[in-house]
Amino acid sequence: MGPPSSSGFYVSRAVALLLAGLAAALLLALLVLAALYGRCARVPPSELRHRGRPDAAPSPTRSPGQPLPTGQTRPSREPAGTAAPGTWRPPGPWDQLRLPPWLVPLHYELELWPRLRPNESWASTLTFTGRVNITVRCTVATARLLLHSLFLDCERAEVRGPLPSGAEDRTVGRVPVDDVWFASDMQYMVLELGGTLQPGSRYELQLSFSSLVYQDLREGLFFNVYTDQGERRALLASQMEPTFARSVFPCFDEPALKATFNITIIHHPSYVALSNMPKLGQSTKRDVNGSMWTITTFSTTPPMPTYLVAFAICDYDHVDRTERGKQIRIWARKDAITNGNADFALNITGPIFSFLEDLFNISYPLPKTDIIALPTFDNSAMENWGLLIFDESLLLMQPNDQVTDKKAVISFILSHEIGHQWFGNLVTMNWWNDIWLKEGFASYFEFGIINYFNPEFPRNEIFFSNILHNVLSEDHALVSRAVSLKVENFTETSEINELFDLFTYNKGASLARMLSSFLNENLFISALKSYLKTFSYSNAEQDDLWRHFQMVIDDQNKILLPATVKSIMDSWTHQSGFPVITLNVSTGVIKQEPFYLGKVKNETLLTHNDTWIIPILWIKSGTTQSLVWLDKSSKIFPEMKVSASDHDWVILNLNVTGYYRVNYDQLGWKKLNQQLEKDPKSIPVIHRLQLIDDAFSLSKNNYIEIETALDLTKYLAEEDEIIVWYAVLMNLITKDLVFDVNSYDMYPLLKKYLLKRLISIWNMYSTVIRENMATLQDDYLALVALEKLFETACWLGLEDCLQLSRELFKNWANHPENEIPSPIKSVILCYGIALGSDEEWDFLLNMYANKTKEEERIQLAYAMSCSKNPWILNRYMEYAITASPFTFNETNIIEVVAASEVGRYIAKDFLVNNWQAVSKRYGTQSLVTLMYIIGRTISTDLQITEEANVAPGLCHPQCPQLQKEESLLTQVQVPALWNDSGCGPTWVTCITAVGVDHVPTLEPAPPKPQALG
C-alpha cells in the first residue's frame, strides 16, 4: 500500500449529521460488546473439568498398556464448552490452536505445593497451589497476553517490566492487568493489559493459581494409592506430554517454546521430592494450621519444552550407581527395592547411556538421572529429562519373571526412553505434526541398542515381529494417515493426543530403518550426529533432518541416489499407506500400486495416484544383489528374470528393510514354494516370515488367490523356527475362525492338515516345557510365540497337549508354589478348567479371591469362563450380576463368558432372563456388545429373529443411550451373516486341495483360551 493521498472530498451538513449519528450508535454497540466480552468465562476453570465429555483420551502405542476394565470410563479433562452458558466473545487469536508469536518464554520460576499428607484416607482428589514467574521476551507490540491454562483458578496476575538488561540497575515498573479470562475450548488464559508491551523488551509474568490433583487420571499432576510394607500409602507424580503441563501451571505449552526452569516443590517432610534436576537445597515452613512442610529447590534445567517438566513426591527407596561420573537412581516401593526387583534395570541403564553417548559423540548433558517406578502409570513410560517415569510392571523384575520376555521388554522400553534423551529432549520437533522425529527414531534405536548388548538376538526377526508386522497390518492407502502432517490440518488439542499411534512409532521406526538400509550404517549415523549437534537445545522440522542426510550424501561418491533424500523420504512420510510391488519373473517387470484393504478389480473409488520412490534390495538364488530403485509406476529389471532351472528363485526386499509388501506372478510364487519344499533352510528365516506374512495379507485383500498362500505352508513339517510357525498360526487360526459358527466345518480340515505338520515343532517345545523351561529364558522369539503354538495344539485336540495341560494344572493346584510357566499360563488355566470339573473351577475361584494384582485376577477371571459345564457358567454369571461372593470388577464377566465356546450359548439364555440386571451392572452399551458377541452363534433367519427378541426393552424409544447406537438387529445380523474372504467356504476347498483327502466327520472343537484373544 502506498502513502496516503493529499486530495480531499466534500461532505454536506446533513450527511455529516447522519455520519455522526451512525458513529455514536457504533460506539454504543462496541461498549455493549466490550461489557459482554469482559464477562466471558467467569466460571472458575477448576469447575469446568466436571462439565467435560466422558470420552477417554487416546492412549500412546509406543508401548503396551492395560485397557480400562469394561464398564469404566476415563473422565475427560477437556471442557465441553468455552465458559458459562450464555457467554460470548468476539473472534480472536484465542480461537486458534497455536499461540500467537507475541511472546517468547525464556525462564520459569515455578513453585508447586500439593497438599499430599501420609496416613490419610485419601479421597479421589486433593488440592494444590502454585506460583510461577515467567520471563518473556516481547516480539510484537501487544496489550493482550495469551498463554495456556487448563482447569487452573488464577488467583493473582501481574506483569513486571520492562526488565533491565545486563547489569543495568533501575526500578522495574509494572504493566496493569485489567482483566483475566479463559478461552477454555483452546485452553488459553488471556490477560488484558492497561499498557502495551514493547518489542525487544523482557517482562516477567507473575501468576498464582490453584487446582485439583486426581487419582483416576494420569495427566498433569496425579496421585497413586498403593500398598508397601503392609501399609496403604500414596505418591504424587506428573505426566505433561503432550499438552498437560497447562493443567499444572500457566505456561507456553508448545514444544518449540523452550525455556529454563527453576523448580521448587513444597511437600510433607516424610516424603522425598524429585524433579528434572538435582536437589539444590531444602528449608521448612509452617502453614496456617501450624503444620510443618519441607521446601525443596532444584538446580536450573537446560532449555527444554514444558512437556518434559517432571515432578514426583513419594515415600520410596532407591538403588543407585554412577556411570561416567553421573548418578543414576531407580526409585520404587521399599518392598521392591529390598527384594532386588530394580537391580536388573539399574544394571543396564548406565551402559545404555554410555552406548548412545559414544554412538552420537554427544554427552548426556544432565548431572543425574532418576527413574521412578509408579504402581500405576497408564502411559507405560515417559522420557522426562532427568526424571524418567515408568509403570512398575515395565521396570521391575519379579522372581517369577525369569522365564518370560520381561527382561527383553524392560530392555526395549528403557532403550526407547533413554534414546529420547537425544531424540526429543536434546533436539525437539518444532511442533507435534513431526512427532515421529522423536518417537520413530527412539523406537528404531531400541533394536540397535538391544542388538549391541545381545549380539545373538535375531534383530531382523524381532523388528519384524514387534514393529513392522503390526503397522503393515493396519496401514493402507485410503484411510490411514501420513507420518508427517501439515500443521494447518490441526484444529483441536485432542488431535495432538491422537498422534501417539502405530504410524508415529512403528511406521516412523520402519522408515528410519529403510533409510539406514539404502544408505549404510556409517552414513546414517554421521548424518544423525550432524543433525543432533546442530539442533542441540533447539527445535527441528523434518526438512532439517533431510538436509543433514543430503549433506553426508553429497560429501561422498559411493552411494548414488535417484533423487534427493528429501524427495525420496517425502514420498513415504507425506502420503498415507504403502505400496505393493509385483515382480513378473518371466519379464523382469516390476510395478507398484497402493495397498488397499479388500482390493476390488476395476474399483472406481481408488483415487490414490501418487507413487513412492522405492529402494529394492534383493536376493537371487541365495545371493545378495545390488540395490535398485523403482521410481516410477513400473520398470524393467532384466537381471530379475529367472530361468527354468529348479534352483533359480528371487526374493525382493532383503531383510524386509523396505516398508512395502512384495507380490510375484504365478511362476515367481511357484519357484519359491518349490524351494521351500526342497530346501527351506536355503531361504533365511526372515524371508520365510516375510513370504508367509505377505502372501496371507495379499490373499486376504484380493491381490492373490488363497491357494497361493496355502501352498507356502506345505513344507511346514520341516519348519523348526517357532517364530515362522507363529506367523502361520496367526494367519490361519484367527479369532473369527475360532468364534464364528459358520466356520465350524473348517475345524476337521484344519486339524488333519495342521497336526501332521505341527507335531515336530510341538515335540521339540513340549520336551522343553517338561524338562527345563529355563533354557528358553534368553530366547525372546520363543517366549513370544510359544503360547500360540501351545494354544493351537490344544485347540486342534492334540492329546499330548491336553495331557500336558492337565499335568501342569494339577501340579500347580497341589503345589501352588510351583508356578505354571508364564508364557503358557493362560492356556494351561483355560484347559485345566475346560477338562476339569467344578472342583478345579472352585479352586480357581479361591485363587482369584486371594490375588491382589489386577493382571492376575483378570487372567483367572477369563480362565473360569473356559468351563464346558453350563451350570458352572450360569452360576459364574449370577455371581457377576449380584457381585457376590466377589465383585469381579476387573472385567465384564458376561462378555467374557459369551465369548467362550460353550458360554456363547449359555449367555444368550442368561441374557433373556436377566437383561435388566445385566444392564444395571454393566450399562446399556454392554448389552449391544453382548448381542454382537452372541450373534456369532447365529446362522439362520429364525435365529436372527429370536435374537432380536432377546431383550425388547433394548429397542424402547425411551432408552436414549441405545438410540445413539446402530440398529440392534443390524448388530446381530452383521456377525451372523458375515463371511470373511479369508475364513469362509473358500478355505475349505483350498485346504482340501493342498493336502486333506476327504472331509472327516465333524468333531467338536475343544475350547480356545479367551484370556489373550
Side-chain angles (χ1 to χ4, degrees):
M1 180 181 293
S5 171
S6 60
S7 60
F9 58 91
Y10 171 77
V11 178
S12 70
R13 184 174 180 179
V15 173
L17 289 173
L18 177 61
L19 290 174
L22 290 173
L26 179 60
L27 180 60
L28 179 62
L30 288 173
L31 289 172
V32 172
L33 291 177
L36 289 171
Y37 169 66
R39 292 171 52 211
C40 173
R42 291 308 190 207
V43 176
S46 60
E47 294 182 14
L48 286 175
R49 79 174 75 225
H50 305 296
R51 304 179 178 211
R53 300 182 302 272
D55 306 332
S59 225
T61 51
R62 67 182 152 205
S63 46
Q66 290 297 327
L68 287 168
T70 306
Q72 296 186 20
T73 56
R74 187 198 312 275
S76 172
R77 295 180 73 158
E78 187 176 358
T82 58
T87 59
W88 175 90
R89 62 167 184 252
W94 41 82
D95 298 317
Q96 304 301 313
L97 182 62
R98 300 293 302 276
L99 280 164
W102 305 337
L103 301 177
V104 177
L106 305 174
H107 180 71
Y108 292 78
E109 292 279 344
L110 175 61
E111 176 188 283
L112 290 177
W113 186 0
R115 302 311 198 270
L116 179 67
R117 298 176 177 87
N119 304 318
E120 286 191 349
S121 178
W122 296 278
S124 59
T125 63
L126 57 88
T127 60
F128 76 93
T129 57
R131 299 183 297 178
V132 65
N133 296 342
I134 311 174
T135 302
V136 300
R137 184 178 68 250
C138 180
T139 60
V140 177
T142 180
R144 177 182 290 134
L145 305 184
L146 269 72
L147 67 163
H148 288 108
S149 178
L150 181 63
F151 305 133
L152 299 173
D153 294 330
C154 182
E155 295 164 357
R156 182 181 67 92
E158 296 182 11
V159 178
R160 298 175 65 247
L163 302 178
S165 57
E168 182 183 347
D169 186 15
R170 62 175 173 81
T171 302
V172 177
R174 293 184 181 275
V175 181
V177 178
D178 293 345
D179 193 18
V180 178
W181 59 279
F182 296 88
S184 54
D185 49 356
M186 288 299 173
Q187 305 177 355
Y188 289 132
M189 173 191 289
V190 183
L191 278 61
E192 302 288 353
L193 306 181
T196 301
L197 306 189
Q198 298 302 314
S201 296
R202 294 181 306 123
Y203 297 85
E204 185 177 74
L205 315 183
Q206 298 182 341
L207 303 164
S208 298
F209 52 91
S210 63
S211 192
L212 299 174
V213 182
Y214 280 74
Q215 180 181 348
D216 57 352
L217 295 177
R218 308 291 180 259
E219 302 168 357
L221 281 183
F222 60 91
F223 68 99
N224 280 178
V225 176
Y226 62 99
T227 300
D228 191 13
Q229 297 181 322
E231 298 178 358
R232 195 165 178 262
R233 299 179 182 178
L235 62 77
L236 181 142
S238 65
Q239 170 62 24
M240 307 301 194
E241 187 184 47
T243 59
F244 305 131
R246 64 192 66 176
S247 68
V248 180
F249 60 99
C251 57
F252 297 86
D253 200 11
E254 293 188 3
L257 299 178
K258 291 187 172 184
T260 55
F261 290 79
N262 282 347
I263 293 171
T264 298
I265 298 177
I266 302 174
H267 56 95
H268 192 276
S270 65
Y271 290 124
V272 64
L274 303 172
S275 189
N276 303 84
M277 298 297 287
K279 180 175 68 176
L280 185 62
Q282 278 190 333
S283 59
T284 59
K285 68 177 290 183
R286 194 177 298 275
D287 65 17
V288 294
N289 298 316
S291 300
M292 294 299 296
W293 295 83
T294 299
I295 304 171
T296 300
T297 59
F298 299 90
S299 299
T300 305
T301 71
M304 67 182 193
T306 49
Y307 81 82
L308 291 177
V309 173
F311 326 98
I313 299 173
C314 60
D315 181 16
Y316 267 10
D317 275 349
H318 70 273
V319 288
D320 64 89
R321 64 176 284 173
T322 299
E323 183 79 11
R324 296 184 175 178
K326 296 182 179 181
Q327 187 180 41
I328 297 170
R329 300 183 295 186
I330 295 186
W331 298 80
R333 291 176 295 105
K334 294 179 179 181
D335 281 341
I337 295 298
T338 301
N339 294 333
N341 301 150
D343 293 349
F344 174 74
L346 179 69
N347 291 335
I348 66 174
T349 296
I352 293 173
F353 269 103
S354 296
F355 170 75
L356 291 174
E357 285 184 329
D358 295 339
L359 184 66
F360 300 127
N361 197 28
I362 298 174
S363 296
Y364 175 67
L366 272 63
K368 65 91 177 177
T369 297
D370 285 313
I371 304 176
I372 185 168
L374 303 188
T376 306
F377 187 51
D378 294 347
N379 295 280
S380 300
M382 178 62 201
E383 70 266 18
N384 310 302
W385 228 351
L387 178 54
L388 286 70
I389 297 179
F390 278 67
D391 188 290
E392 66 176 25
S393 66
L394 301 174
L395 187 69
L396 306 180
M397 285 285 295
Q398 303 298 329
N400 58 353
D401 285 337
Q402 292 302 316
V403 189
T404 69
D405 61 353
K406 189 68 169 288
K407 281 187 178 180
V409 169
I410 293 173
S411 300
F412 279 124
I413 298 178
L414 264 173
S415 299
H416 181 101
E417 304 307 330
I418 295 172
H420 274 312
Q421 310 307 300
W422 286 263
F423 293 97
N425 298 8
L426 185 65
V427 179
T428 309
M429 67 278 158
N430 198 50
W431 203 67
W432 299 106
N433 63 307
D434 276 333
I435 188 178
W436 85 275
L437 292 179
K438 78 181 186 78
E439 297 298 350
F441 279 89
S443 298
Y444 169 73
F445 277 106
E446 290 176 33
F447 296 87
I449 294 167
I450 299 300
N451 191 242
Y452 176 80
F453 291 107
N454 302 276
E456 74 284 357
F457 263 41
R459 181 176 179 176
N460 291 321
E461 289 82 358
I462 292 177
F463 188 93
F464 179 89
S465 300
N466 284 17
I467 299 291
L468 189 57
H469 166 77
N470 295 332
V471 68
L472 286 177
S473 299
E474 297 294 328
D475 201 4
H476 56 100
L478 287 183
V479 178
S480 305
R481 69 168 181 86
V483 168
S484 180
L485 303 170
K486 294 180 180 179
V487 176
E488 54 267 27
N489 290 348
F490 292 82
T491 59
E492 296 182 6
T493 304
S494 60
E495 294 170 344
I496 297 171
N497 297 328
E498 295 167 4
L499 294 174
F500 292 83
D501 61 10
L502 278 173
F503 304 109
T504 289
Y505 289 81
N506 294 34
K507 188 171 183 178
S510 300
L511 296 183
R513 180 170 175 255
M514 183 172 70
L515 176 60
S516 173
S517 72
F518 70 72
L519 300 177
N520 60 52
E521 192 70 10
N522 290 335
L523 288 179
F524 182 74
I525 297 300
S526 294
L528 291 178
K529 285 181 180 178
S530 174
Y531 165 78
L532 291 171
K533 183 177 180 181
T534 300
F535 294 101
S536 290
Y537 307 105
S538 185
N539 297 79
E541 297 177 345
Q542 178 175 276
D543 283 355
D544 296 318
L545 179 64
W546 301 153
R547 275 192 291 272
H548 283 264
F549 273 101
Q550 192 62 51
M551 286 163 51
V552 300
I553 291 294
D554 293 343
D555 285 344
Q556 55 83 55
N557 54 21
K558 290 185 178 180
I559 304 293
L560 301 177
L561 302 179
T564 64
V565 174
K566 173 177 168 55
S567 297
I568 294 169
M569 295 308 296
D570 280 357
S571 75
W572 296 91
T573 61
H574 282 166
Q575 62 178 324
S576 61
F578 62 89
V580 177
I581 64 171
T582 301
L583 169 63
N584 185 315
V585 297
S586 298
T587 62
V589 172
I590 299 183
K591 68 174 184 177
Q592 64 165 289
E593 59 183 314
F595 176 80
Y596 298 105
L597 293 182
K599 178 189 175 186
V600 177
K601 293 180 181 179
N602 302 317
E603 186 170 349
T604 58
L605 297 178
L606 306 186
T607 57
H608 196 296
N609 296 319
D610 295 326
T611 57
W612 290 262
I613 302 177
I614 305 173
I616 303 177
L617 291 160
W618 58 295
I619 52 178
K620 187 171 187 178
S621 304
T623 303
T624 302
Q625 307 295 312
S626 299
L627 170 70
V628 297
W629 290 87
L630 180 61
D631 53 1
K632 55 184 70 174
S633 58
S634 65
K635 207 169 183 178
I636 299 176
F637 297 94
E639 63 271 31
M640 292 186 182
K641 291 193 289 186
V642 299
S643 67
S645 166
D646 290 342
H647 302 285
D648 220 5
W649 50 271
V650 170
I651 292 180
L652 305 186
N653 199 7
L654 178 65
N655 292 326
V656 202
T657 55
Y659 188 73
Y660 51 87
R661 292 199 183 275
V662 182
N663 190 12
Y664 304 91
D665 63 347
Q666 287 189 355
L667 179 59
W669 285 114
K670 181 181 178 181
K671 290 278 189 180
L672 292 168
N673 182 45
Q674 289 173 343
Q675 189 62 29
L676 283 172
E677 292 197 61
K678 181 172 58 180
D679 182 13
K681 297 290 185 180
S682 65
I683 296 179
V685 175
I686 183 61
H687 289 297
R688 304 204 297 273
L689 264 177
Q690 174 201 15
L691 291 173
I692 294 294
D693 202 61
D694 279 355
F696 275 99
S697 177
L698 293 171
S699 67
K700 180 179 179 181
N701 292 288
N702 304 321
Y703 286 82
I704 62 175
E705 298 297 326
I706 185 60
E707 290 91 343
T708 302
L710 290 171
D711 279 343
L712 295 175
T713 67
K714 290 179 178 179
Y715 86 99
L716 283 174
E718 305 301 319
E719 181 57 77
D720 60 2
E721 293 289 343
I722 192 170
I723 193 62
V724 179
W725 267 103
Y726 179 77
V728 171
L729 298 178
M730 291 299 289
N731 278 288
L732 276 178
I733 315 298
T734 64
K735 287 190 294 185
D736 292 320
L737 171 68
V738 172
F739 293 136
D740 196 330
V741 295
N742 293 313
S743 300
Y744 277 6
D745 53 356
M746 287 190 58
Y747 176 77
L749 305 178
L750 275 170
K751 179 174 182 176
K752 183 168 185 178
Y753 181 72
L754 282 177
L755 279 185
K756 64 183 180 183
R757 291 168 170 80
L758 182 136
I759 194 67
S760 178
I761 190 82
W762 166 258
N763 287 338
M764 180 189 306
Y765 281 96
S766 63
T767 300
V768 171
I769 292 169
R770 284 186 166 101
E771 295 180 356
N772 188 9
M773 272 288 288
T775 59
L776 297 180
Q777 64 181 342
D778 295 321
D779 190 341
Y780 174 75
L781 291 176
L783 293 172
V784 168
L786 186 59
E787 180 181 59
K788 185 65 178 178
L789 176 67
F790 203 112
E791 171 188 286
T792 302
C794 285
W795 180 73
L796 292 172
L798 182 62
E799 183 53 41
D800 188 50
C801 182
L802 300 176
Q803 181 57 35
L804 183 54
S805 298
R806 292 188 191 96
E807 293 172 7
L808 292 175
F809 188 94
K810 183 177 180 180
N811 182 51
W812 173 65
N814 293 334
H815 306 282
E817 68 278 7
N818 296 337
E819 285 282 348
I820 299 171
S822 181
I824 56 173
K825 186 171 183 177
S826 292
V827 184
I828 299 302
L829 292 177
C830 183
Y831 280 96
I833 294 298
L835 300 169
S837 64
D838 58 333
E839 181 180 348
E840 285 78 11
W841 198 94
D842 289 339
F843 168 78
L844 217 59
L845 181 66
N846 185 58
M847 294 297 293
Y848 172 92
N850 293 319
K851 296 293 183 181
T852 57
K853 292 184 179 179
E854 183 180 60
E855 181 181 357
E856 292 179 334
R857 287 168 70 91
I858 290 174
Q859 187 179 52
L860 295 174
Y862 273 87
M864 286 187 282
S865 75
C866 294
S867 174
K868 298 173 71 174
N869 192 318
W871 74 265
I872 289 179
L873 294 177
N874 200 75
R875 183 183 67 174
Y876 191 21
M877 291 186 286
E878 288 281 358
Y879 287 170
I881 63 172
T882 59
S884 174
F886 307 109
T887 59
F888 298 104
N889 283 334
E890 294 81 13
T891 190
N892 185 323
I893 298 301
I894 313 300
E895 290 182 9
V896 170
V897 171
S900 67
E901 187 198 6
V902 175
R904 66 185 69 176
Y905 303 101
I906 310 303
K908 181 170 66 174
D909 293 336
F910 185 87
L911 191 58
V912 169
N913 299 319
N914 299 278
W915 71 269
Q916 287 181 321
V918 172
S919 177
K920 182 178 179 180
R921 176 73 171 89
Y922 294 112
T924 52
Q925 175 57 47
S926 174
L927 295 175
V928 176
T929 304
L930 281 167
M931 298 298 282
Y932 187 90
I933 295 172
I934 293 169
R936 291 177 178 273
T937 66
I938 296 172
S939 57
T940 68
D941 290 341
L942 177 60
Q943 289 175 318
I944 291 174
T945 303
E946 292 174 351
E947 188 79 1
N949 294 324
V950 164
L954 292 177
C955 303
H956 195 280
Q958 294 181 358
C959 186
Q961 285 179 291
L962 283 180
Q963 294 303 310
K964 299 177 183 178
E965 304 295 334
E966 296 180 60
S967 163
L968 185 60
L969 187 58
T970 302
Q971 295 273 1
V972 173
Q973 287 174 321
V974 167
L977 303 180
W978 172 79
N979 217 345
D980 185 279
S981 62
C983 296
T986 306
W987 281 59
V988 180
T989 305
C990 295
I991 291 175
T992 303
V994 297
V996 176
D997 302 323
H998 65 280
V999 180
T1001 304
L1002 184 66
E1003 303 174 27
K1008 172 183 181 293
Q1010 307 300 314
L1012 298 178

